[in-house]
Amino acid sequence: MDAFYASVEVRHRPELRGRAVVVGGVGPRGVVSSASYEARRYGVRSAMPTMRARALCPHAVFLAPDFARYTAASRSIMQIFRDVTPLVEPLSLDEAFLDVSGARRLFGPPAAIARRIRERVAAEQGLTCSVGVAPSKFVAKLGSTRAKPDGLLVVPADQVLDFLHPLPVAALWGVGERSEQALHRLGLRTIGDLAQAPIGMLRTALGEAAAVHLHELAAGRDPRRVSPEQVEKSIGAETTFDVDVDDPTAIRRTLLALAEKVGARLRGAGQVGRTVSLKVRTADFRTVTRARTLDVPTDVAREMFDTVWALYTVLELGERIRLLGVRAEGLTAAVETPRQLTLGEREHGWREAEVAADAAAARFGRSVIGPASLLSGRDHRRNENPTRP
């Protein structure tokens, strides 16, 4: 997908069309998650500090991410893919590999299938995507990158090397900044240079595993198949405070808001987690993690919040907090894990309320629900902590 988070926000707020839009942390320690192409013209990029993005593009509209909205859009887009082939391997909310070998009799050649997908995504979702078509995952990925924005690039099998070899070595999977520098010192600047280099020279510079991996890719060889059953190992959310905090009220509300995000993502993915973990980073950058395994896997924010709050209250750090994180691990499919009521729990309770909140967020945006919406006055009275929201 093209600038996915930003594009979904523009679809939700059409008055932003044509304007520079940046999605990410909006505070002084925030990081850019997505930027519209109007913002990218000013040098704004993903993973850039928000403060730097503001300096480069001060007239941009800066928005906090709404993952419920992005998850709902992603689910609809992935269904379009699965209408073409069951062999869909999602890489993230906005990217996937499709093996269309078995779809050609029904939908035509791969290029026609790619055009059909792009047309459906645009017509049904009001979003654009860029597609690379090639014999392997690696080359298809490169093709989609080169086709951006809103483009299509087909690399036939007999043209793979002509496509690959002029590209810089940094285009290869597994070549980071240090590896690129090592290859440049050997005089290897293009993928073609690397393909012609003796494997022994690469082993000396990069080590056995990296040398073999890059040599194979440079020759256009990537035997990996599309794996549609790839399952996430964990789902989490974290936040860095603009100013270090030690106020229990702010910490409690933040943990609840993070648990809500994790719960919404779990339900959106149809998964539940058996282990809930807490991450705390103090002002001096010391990181502490704690985890607890539940009797029954959950996708309920309230249950995760109760767990991480209990973990936090026994830490007794005595320091200001820079970052908090909540994560669900040990994921399994929700449909394969029948939910059991705990002692004293009503048949319809927190989960039903959260599902209703998901539906409202998908239609109107998470902001209508409000942060930390699951904390009630009754909860305050039950909590023994004298400083609480």
Side-chain angles (χ1 to χ4, degrees):
M1 303 303 297
D2 297 326
F4 182 55
Y5 293 177
S7 297
V8 172
E9 293 294 349
V10 171
R11 183 184 69 175
H12 181 66
R13 296 174 55 182
E15 71 273 14
L16 297 179
R17 194 169 304 281
R19 299 181 61 183
V21 176
V22 179
V23 176
V26 294
R29 291 176 175 171
V31 175
V32 173
S33 297
S34 177
S36 69
Y37 287 92
E38 290 83 358
R40 295 185 190 192
R41 296 191 189 107
Y42 292 86
V44 179
R45 296 289 183 270
S46 296
M48 171 183 289
T50 301
M51 294 290 283
R52 173 65 175 158
R54 289 186 187 277
L56 290 172
C57 193
H59 61 279
V61 177
F62 287 81
L63 301 172
D66 186 333
F67 287 104
R69 185 176 294 141
Y70 311 147
T71 299
S74 174
R75 192 182 303 119
S76 298
I77 292 162
M78 294 296 171
Q79 187 55 55
I80 292 175
F81 298 163
R82 293 187 177 95
D83 287 345
V84 173
T85 172
L87 301 179
V88 177
E89 179 183 340
L91 298 182
S92 60
L93 288 178
D94 65 337
E95 187 172 13
F97 287 116
L98 285 69
D99 184 341
V100 298
S101 302
R104 288 179 290 183
R105 175 174 293 184
L106 186 60
F107 297 117
I113 295 173
R115 284 192 291 271
R116 177 189 181 94
I117 289 172
R118 281 169 34 80
E119 289 168 359
R120 279 197 62 188
V121 170
E124 298 176 22
Q125 295 300 312
L127 300 168
T128 65
C129 60
S130 299
V131 182
V133 181
S136 68
K137 294 169 75 171
F138 166 58
V139 180
K141 166 68 173 173
L142 277 182
S144 69
T145 301
R146 299 285 158 173
K148 285 185 173 294
D150 194 18
L152 167 63
L153 180 61
V154 179
V155 184
D158 60 357
Q159 297 177 29
V160 166
L161 297 184
D162 293 337
F163 169 71
L164 280 180
H165 284 183
L167 299 178
V169 290
L172 289 169
W173 276 343
V175 174
E177 185 176 350
R178 293 181 62 184
S179 298
E180 182 182 17
Q181 292 172 355
L183 293 170
H184 285 179
R185 285 195 293 270
L186 297 175
L188 307 177
R189 297 193 170 272
T190 69
I191 294 178
D193 294 337
L194 194 152
Q196 297 299 318
I199 187 70
M201 181 171 72
L202 298 178
R203 288 193 183 101
T204 301
L206 304 173
E208 175 69 24
V212 173
H213 168 72
L214 295 180
H215 204 258
E216 287 294 292
L217 291 183
R221 293 188 286 269
D222 179 15
R224 294 169 308 148
R225 296 181 178 275
V226 171
S227 303
E229 296 304 321
Q230 194 173 53
V231 177
E232 290 186 90
K233 297 180 180 179
S234 67
I235 290 177
E238 60 184 46
T239 188
T240 300
F241 294 105
D242 295 339
V243 178
D244 299 335
V245 301
D246 58 4
D247 175 16
T249 296
I251 293 169
R252 182 175 168 84
R253 283 194 178 278
T254 300
L255 287 174
L256 180 55
L258 291 172
E260 288 181 329
K261 287 184 179 180
V262 175
R265 293 178 196 176
L266 283 169
R267 292 187 296 274
Q271 295 182 306
V272 290
R274 179 173 288 277
T275 299
V276 178
S277 68
L278 166 72
K279 176 180 178 181
V280 181
R281 182 168 296 151
T282 58
D284 61 359
F285 288 88
R286 180 167 64 98
T287 300
V288 178
T289 59
R290 295 289 186 271
R292 178 173 295 172
T293 298
L294 307 177
D295 293 334
V296 179
T298 187
D299 59 4
V300 180
R302 178 65 203 212
E303 295 173 3
M304 289 184 284
F305 165 71
D306 286 342
T307 301
V308 295
W309 181 245
L311 292 171
Y312 177 81
T313 54
V314 299
L315 287 179
E316 299 182 351
L317 294 172
E319 300 178 47
R320 296 176 73 84
I321 305 301
R322 177 184 178 87
L323 174 148
L324 289 170
V326 175
R327 182 165 295 276
E329 302 168 344
L331 305 187
T332 56
V335 294
E336 298 174 2
T337 312
R339 177 164 169 74
Q340 301 176 26
L341 296 179
T342 58
L343 184 63
E345 181 184 2
R346 293 179 301 174
E347 183 177 356
H348 299 290
W350 286 114
R351 190 178 193 282
E352 287 69 23
E354 293 177 25
V355 169
D358 291 342
R363 184 173 181 183
F364 302 110
R366 182 61 59 177
S367 60
V368 304
I369 308 303
S373 60
L374 300 180
L375 201 57
S376 72
R378 182 177 300 175
D379 299 320
H380 306 165
R381 293 190 295 273
R382 278 204 306 263
N383 193 294
E384 296 178 357
N385 189 330
T387 306
R388 54 189 177 267

